[in-house]
Amino acid sequence: MSALLMNLRHVPEQEVAEVRALLEEQGVGFYETPPSMWGVSGGGLWLSEEADQARARRLLAEYQQRRQHDQREAWRRARDQNAAPTLWGTLKASPVRTLAFLIAGLIVLLISVVPFLTFG
């Protein structure tokens, strides 16, 4: 019986490739299921042997901890060099899209709040 190690929904391809390489390097048997055509399933990495589950989960946890540290450091370097994305930068890069999202958010907020304000 196999066990799901990692759901691949919203996982960057670089991270999936690194996890595949880690599992292969450590000799953990796995297979991959693709995302469904209709978006119900995001795909996944499955362990071939349930006996590898504890070791694979430990390896994945260690990998994710290293990746989190590396990504935070990369963001800090970008922030220190003024290269990190900001609200102002996003507004300058695509003002129409940003304003459309802001207006849509305000409309949703108004639709949610107005009934409570006019209730009594």
Side-chain angles (χ1 to χ4, degrees), residues 9 19 21 23-24 29 33 35 38 46 51 58 63 66 72 82 85 92 97 114-115 117:
R9 185 181 305 274
V19 171
L23 294 174
E24 289 171 358
T33 55
W38 309 111
W46 296 79
R58 181 180 44 80
Y63 163 78
R66 282 191 312 272
R72 284 187 178 178
N82 292 326
K92 285 189 336 188
R97 181 173 184 233
V114 166
L117 297 176

Side-chain angles (χ1 to χ4, degrees), residues 36-75:
S36 69
M37 183 184 313
W38 309 111
V40 175
S41 166
L45 290 179
W46 296 79
L47 298 173
S48 300
E49 300 292 328
E50 200 164 330
D52 289 335
Q53 189 170 3
R55 184 168 70 110
R57 293 209 182 278
R58 181 180 44 80
L59 289 169
L60 184 61
E62 291 169 359
Y63 163 78
Q64 287 176 331
Q65 201 169 30
R66 282 191 312 272
R67 182 170 173 84
Q68 178 184 25
H69 178 266
D70 294 346
Q71 293 298 311
R72 284 187 178 178
E73 284 302 313
W75 182 82

Side-chain angles (χ1 to χ4, degrees), residues 21-34:
L22 173 68
L23 294 174
E24 289 171 358
E25 175 185 299
Q26 295 297 319
V28 176
F30 71 96
Y31 62 94
E32 187 172 345
T33 55

